[in-house]
Amino acid sequence: MTGKNGQLKSRIVPALTQGSIATDPRSAAYYLVMEYGMVNLKGASTWERAEKIISIAHPDFREELIG
């Protein structure tokens, strides 16, 4: 995604921002599809889910999400 200033920005972030609310449980999302692939999250542990989601993030942001 490109921000207002034209800078590339990822929609996948390592944590929710303060004041954000998540209304769906983790177990409700089975498949996640992005521009860089699709992953099946069903039955994956929290760590496995994070690794799978990072694997389909924009390549420029994957290292940032790992650390």
Side-chain angles (χ1 to χ4, degrees):
M1 175 173 110
T2 305
K4 292 181 182 179
N5 60 0
Q7 184 177 2
L8 190 61
K9 191 173 158 184
S10 178
R11 290 184 185 199
I12 299 175
V13 295
L16 294 174
T17 58
Q18 188 173 7
S20 294
I21 299 172
T23 57
D24 289 332
R26 291 182 193 135
S27 60
Y30 292 138
Y31 293 96
L32 181 61
V33 180
M34 304 284 289
E35 293 87 349
Y36 295 95
M38 181 203 74
V39 292
N40 180 354
L41 302 172
K42 185 177 181 181
S45 69
T46 303
W47 186 257
E48 291 169 329
R49 293 169 67 84
E51 287 179 331
K52 288 180 178 191
I53 292 169
I54 290 169
S55 76
I56 61 169
H58 189 287
D60 292 349
F61 296 105
R62 289 178 188 166
E63 196 64 38
E64 177 183 332
L65 292 168
I66 292 169

